[in-house]
Amino acid sequence: VRIDPAYLPYDKRVVAWLRVERAKGRIIVLATASDKGMGAPVAEHLGLFDAVFASDGSANLKSSQKAQRLAEAFPQ
């Protein structure tokens, strides 16, 4: 299934906050258990993520796997 990310309901307050934090120099990552085929278009549509961590058919990035991926990327 392909979903046009333009039609998804985004919380404008959260998106605005992420933009402010990115402008401050923070790294903003979209971390999702959804397949990268869903996550990447959302990130591209919003244009505010520095990286996308998503499931990819061999790794299901849910729960502890997501936490581990984030901890590996950001050990500090």
Side-chain angles (χ1 to χ4, degrees):
V1 174
R2 296 280 179 206
I3 295 174
D4 185 341
Y7 293 104
L8 293 175
Y10 301 99
D11 186 324
K12 292 176 182 164
R13 296 167 298 172
V14 173
V15 173
W17 176 74
L18 291 171
R19 291 190 193 286
V20 167
E21 293 302 308
R22 188 165 192 233
K24 292 179 185 176
R26 294 191 76 172
I27 296 171
I28 307 297
V29 176
L30 173 59
T32 178
S34 296
D35 187 79
K36 65 182 177 183
M38 297 285 286
V42 168
E44 185 176 329
H45 171 73
L46 292 174
L48 59 87
F49 295 99
D50 297 294
V52 177
F53 300 159
S55 297
D56 63 9
S58 62
N60 187 351
L61 205 65
K62 64 179 183 174
S63 188
S64 61
Q65 291 88 351
K66 187 185 305 170
Q68 180 179 348
R69 178 68 178 97
L70 288 164
E72 289 169 356
F74 305 102
Q76 65 284 11

